[in-house]
């Protein structure tokens, strides 16, 4: 049982490059989200989705795009990377109507923007 | 907007002893959820314990228990009989009642706990 799978685990980008962080889950969870974790800042919500075709912004959405075409996948796109986007990114899923707030996290993707 | 404050960036405890991690939050909501999540070194974050604000009884999960003081907006985590495997970053988190399937958590900055042998 894979759970929540994030790829890549590590990535180095140059300023202005674009890339997509992938998140896939095999638990049939309706809720999916992306957080970024920065030293001394905790986790901050970037975007989230309550089901296929539905996305919404979180606390820090600027510079990121998301889409949700299937229940299983929720990619996070950086269109023009900036050094301020250097961070560890976590995908988290949840069961709508299940134990509220119980999120299942991926292992994280460490992104460095030079 | 809700905020979550963890005032202890780092703590340490001897194996088998008890340690308490502090968390305060600010909200105007009456019904909500509170959580403690654990992030071990290089491992996935997992839920340790959750508390529903409308329940007066403090939640417990084996060696983990909370002291929930709603009026004071305080939510501390007590770890009894600490084990080396408890070494991790611990995050306190808040969530309003879910709406439309959304489960947006607001996290504190975390407390790094080290259990010493």
């Amino acid at each position: 049982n894979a759970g929540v799978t994030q790829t890549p685990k590590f990535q180095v980008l140059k300023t202005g490059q674009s890339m997509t962080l992938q998140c896939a889950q095999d638990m049939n969870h309706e809720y999916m989200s992306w957080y970024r974790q920065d030293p001394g800042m905790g986790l901050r919500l970037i975007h989230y989705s309550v089901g296929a075709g539905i996305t919404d912004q979180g606390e820090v959405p600027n510079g990121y795009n998301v889409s949700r075409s299937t229940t299983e996948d929720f990619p996070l796109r950086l269109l023009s990377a900036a050094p301020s986007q250097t961070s560890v990114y976590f995908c988290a899923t949840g069961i709508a109507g299940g134990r509220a707030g119980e999120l299942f996290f991926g292992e994280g993707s460490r992104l460095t923007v030079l | 907007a809700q905020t979550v404050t963890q005032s202890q960036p780092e703590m340490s405890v001897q194996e088998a002893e008890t340690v308490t991690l502090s968390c305060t939050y600010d909200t105007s909501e009456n019904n909500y959820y509170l959580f403690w999540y654990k992030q071990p070194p290089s491992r996935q974050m997992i839920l340790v314990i959750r508390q529903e604000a409308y329940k007066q009884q403090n939640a417990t999960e084996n060696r983990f228990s909370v002291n929930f003081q709603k009026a004071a907006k305080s939510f501390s985590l007590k770890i009894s009989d600490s084990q080396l495997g408890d070494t991790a970053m611990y995050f306190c988190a808040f969530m309003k009642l879910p709406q439309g399937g959304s489960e947006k958590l607001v996290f504190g900055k975390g407390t790094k706990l080290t259990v010493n042998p």
Side-chain angles (χ1 to χ4, degrees):
Chain A
N1 189 359
V4 181
T5 302
Q6 291 183 232
T7 55
K9 288 185 170 50
F10 301 93
Q11 183 72 49
V12 179
L13 289 177
K14 294 181 180 178
T15 297
Q17 288 184 320
S18 63
M19 77 157 299
T20 299
L21 298 177
Q22 302 288 348
C23 177
Q25 54 104 354
D26 61 359
M27 299 178 286
N28 201 32
H29 287 174
E30 289 295 325
Y31 181 77
M32 297 186 75
S33 58
W34 278 101
Y35 284 86
R36 60 177 289 174
Q37 182 179 20
D38 301 294
M41 296 292 292
L43 283 81
R44 293 180 292 170
L45 180 64
I46 305 171
H47 284 285
Y48 66 95
S49 168
V50 298
I54 307 170
T55 63
D56 206 345
Q57 297 180 349
E59 180 186 356
V60 288
N62 291 342
Y64 307 95
N65 281 348
V66 292
S67 59
R68 184 95 179 269
S69 57
T70 67
T71 298
E72 294 78 19
D73 300 297
F74 190 46
L76 178 71
R77 298 183 183 87
L78 286 70
L79 298 180
S80 179
S84 61
Q85 294 178 304
T86 293
S87 187
V88 181
Y89 292 85
F90 288 95
C91 179
T93 72
I95 306 171
R99 283 202 342 144
E102 182 172 15
L103 298 183
F104 297 82
F105 284 81
E107 293 183 345
S109 297
R110 183 176 294 274
L111 175 66
T112 301
V113 182
L114 302 176
Chain B
Q2 288 74 29
T3 59
V4 177
T5 302
Q6 294 179 248
S7 59
Q8 305 150 314
E10 293 192 40
M11 296 187 71
S12 63
V13 64
Q14 292 299 120
E15 197 174 6
E17 293 187 345
T18 295
V19 63
T20 299
L21 280 58
S22 301
C23 173
T24 59
Y25 58 95
D26 187 26
T27 184
S28 59
E29 303 286 328
N30 187 47
N31 291 319
Y32 47 86
Y33 296 88
L34 294 164
F35 311 88
W36 281 97
Y37 274 85
K38 171 185 178 182
Q39 186 180 39
S42 302
R43 292 180 61 185
Q44 288 162 290
M45 190 173 304
I46 57 172
L47 177 65
V48 175
I49 198 165
R50 68 197 286 273
Q51 175 80 42
E52 295 147 331
Y54 62 87
K55 289 187 176 180
Q56 292 184 338
Q57 186 173 6
N58 288 326
T60 62
E61 290 285 347
N62 300 315
R63 297 182 296 107
F64 298 87
S65 62
V66 297
N67 183 4
F68 173 47
Q69 301 289 328
K70 190 174 183 180
K73 297 180 182 176
S74 171
F75 183 62
S76 60
L77 174 70
K78 185 172 81 171
I79 306 174
S80 303
D81 186 24
S82 297
Q83 301 176 359
L84 296 178
D86 296 333
T87 292
M89 184 75 83
Y90 287 82
F91 292 96
C92 180
F94 170 98
M95 187 179 78
K96 297 194 296 185
L97 293 187
Q99 292 182 337
S102 168
E103 303 199 351
K104 297 193 291 184
L105 270 65
V106 176
F107 287 87
K109 295 182 179 181
T111 296
K112 183 179 181 181
L113 176 67
T114 302
V115 180
N116 299 309

